[in-house]
Amino acid sequence: MINREWHLLSRPVGWPKPEDFALVEAPVPTPREGQVLVRNKYLSVDPYMRGRMSDAKSYIAPFELGKAMQGGAVGEVVESNAEGIAVGDHVLHFLGWREYAAVDARHAVKVDPAAAPLSAYLGVLGMTGLTAYAGLLRTASFKEGDAVFVSGAAGAVGSQVGQIAKLKGASRVIGSAGSDEKVKLLVDEYGFDAAFNYKNGPVAEQLREAAPDGIDVYFDNVGGDHLEAAIGSLNEGGRIAVCGMISVYNNTQPAPGPKNLARLIQTRGRIEGFLVGDHYDLQPQFVQEVGPWVASGALKYRETVVEGIENNLEAFLGVLRGNNVGKMVVKL
């Protein structure tokens, strides 16, 4: 049996290129004591993976050259050498970018395919959903009546941030996206009060028009001109939660910061970065609250599904280009 897996061959400079990667054939691994062999069914591709392709010091170790990359995955157990996980169980784990994975049982989380589609455990009910939940409610200290601005709002995280804010009693939710179709989706399906296409004009002007009374919370997925615009519209006591800055991930030179940071003094504003890994204590609360919203349809989600391990790299590059609506997953 052959196991196909994606290797990083060289560290990308600027935008990743196909020659930086290779789809490699390797033997299917044999699970050791305490491990299970998983046939992956869905793989996750996410913006943060671009950072792991660099060897710059960061919050997580870089991908190793010449070895299989990693990422969220969900699949079926086909062999088990571990107590508590049986053949036929489905598990969530972190050895993606490959067809088969030998996973330590202590790092595998059993999921129920009858309760939700397997792909949902990589998105709306997985790390993506918890990122939205923790960033909005804990880092940004959202409270009922806040006006909320979300950048990258049609993406997997941003779309949930806006909907959770509405369900929690936001006075107004505004989103930015990269196409008119995505803007329509935000308003018509996800229930945002307003949205704009950041390609149609200066972000600061479009945000002021969409939020004439200012914003209390900004959930940042983009950085750059979006962050500067949010600081410009921040109300007194406003909070900014920095989840990602996809606009600068492929830059070869440091990007200039916002020119209006001094406004944080005037507004007594706060800006704080966060990592979902610091908030796993919220997981039970997240599942208890968000699970019923998903089941009832109160919280809607979209997925962009790419078929085949051979297209895993193109799916990842599509995320960096903003091609996805909702969570990007690869179906094997």
Side-chain angles (χ1 to χ4, degrees):
M1 293 177 65
I2 297 298
N3 184 28
R4 290 183 295 172
E5 54 188 37
W6 280 95
H7 289 198
L8 182 66
L9 300 184
S10 57
R11 302 205 181 277
V13 177
W15 276 85
K17 302 179 294 295
E19 52 265 35
D20 295 323
F21 309 84
L23 182 60
V24 175
E25 291 187 349
V28 172
T30 300
R32 302 190 305 271
E33 187 68 28
Q35 290 188 327
V36 294
L37 179 63
V38 182
R39 182 174 66 237
N40 288 329
K41 293 193 171 183
Y42 288 93
L43 307 176
S44 178
V45 286
D46 303 281
Y48 80 87
M49 293 174 176
R50 177 62 183 87
R52 296 197 68 188
M53 294 170 188
S54 165
D55 60 0
K57 186 176 181 181
S58 185
Y59 63 90
I60 190 169
F63 292 134
E64 294 184 61
L65 295 179
K67 293 188 177 180
M69 294 186 290
Q70 301 166 349
V74 63
E76 181 181 358
V77 175
V78 294
E79 187 177 343
S80 177
N81 280 330
E83 292 185 8
I85 301 180
V87 171
D89 284 345
H90 291 81
V91 296
L92 178 68
H93 62 91
F94 205 66
L95 295 181
W97 288 84
R98 67 199 81 185
E99 291 175 308
Y100 289 86
V103 181
D104 290 343
R106 59 195 175 96
H107 295 147
V109 177
K110 286 201 288 187
V111 297
D112 183 2
L118 284 176
S119 57
Y121 294 104
L122 295 175
V124 66
L125 294 176
M127 185 177 71
T128 300
L130 182 60
T131 300
Y133 189 86
L136 177 68
L137 301 183
R138 178 175 280 175
T139 306
S141 304
F142 171 85
K143 60 184 184 297
E144 186 177 353
D146 280 343
V148 178
F149 171 44
V150 187
S151 59
V157 173
S159 59
Q160 281 194 249
V161 172
Q163 290 182 84
I164 292 172
K166 290 292 290 184
L167 288 163
K168 288 280 193 178
S171 61
R172 188 166 178 80
V173 173
I174 304 102
S176 72
S179 73
D180 293 340
E181 291 78 13
K182 289 181 179 180
V183 167
K184 188 174 188 302
L185 173 71
L186 292 176
V187 175
D188 293 350
E189 185 167 329
Y190 293 153
F192 282 56
D193 296 290
F196 60 86
N197 182 345
Y198 66 84
K199 297 176 182 177
N200 286 348
V203 174
E205 292 179 11
Q206 294 194 79
L207 178 58
R208 280 195 297 270
E209 183 177 346
D213 296 322
I215 60 172
D216 303 297
V217 168
Y218 171 48
F219 193 103
D220 190 16
N221 291 305
V222 174
D225 55 355
H226 281 73
L227 178 56
E228 186 168 298
I231 293 172
S233 286
L234 206 63
N235 291 330
E236 184 175 316
R239 291 86 64 203
I240 296 173
V242 181
C243 177
M245 292 191 174
I246 197 169
S247 68
V248 303
Y249 285 170
N250 295 303
N251 287 4
T252 56
Q253 297 294 326
K259 298 188 293 290
N260 58 349
L261 280 174
R263 195 168 186 278
L264 294 175
I265 304 170
Q266 171 189 340
T267 61
R268 282 76 112 193
R270 171 168 62 84
I271 180 170
E272 181 178 347
F274 76 99
L275 299 174
V276 67
D278 297 331
H279 302 283
Y280 282 130
D281 61 298
L282 288 177
Q283 181 76 25
Q285 176 183 325
F286 160 70
V287 172
Q288 183 179 17
E289 187 164 23
V290 175
W293 287 341
V294 174
S296 69
L299 194 153
K300 300 174 176 61
Y301 69 98
R302 290 279 193 99
E303 293 176 338
T304 300
V305 181
V306 173
E307 299 265 355
I309 185 84
E310 63 277 7
N311 294 314
N312 212 97
L313 176 60
E314 181 55 33
F316 168 70
L317 296 175
V319 170
L320 297 184
R321 292 191 294 259
N323 294 349
N324 56 302
V325 175
K327 183 77 180 79
M328 178 79 87
V329 294
V330 178
K331 182 180 181 181
L332 304 189

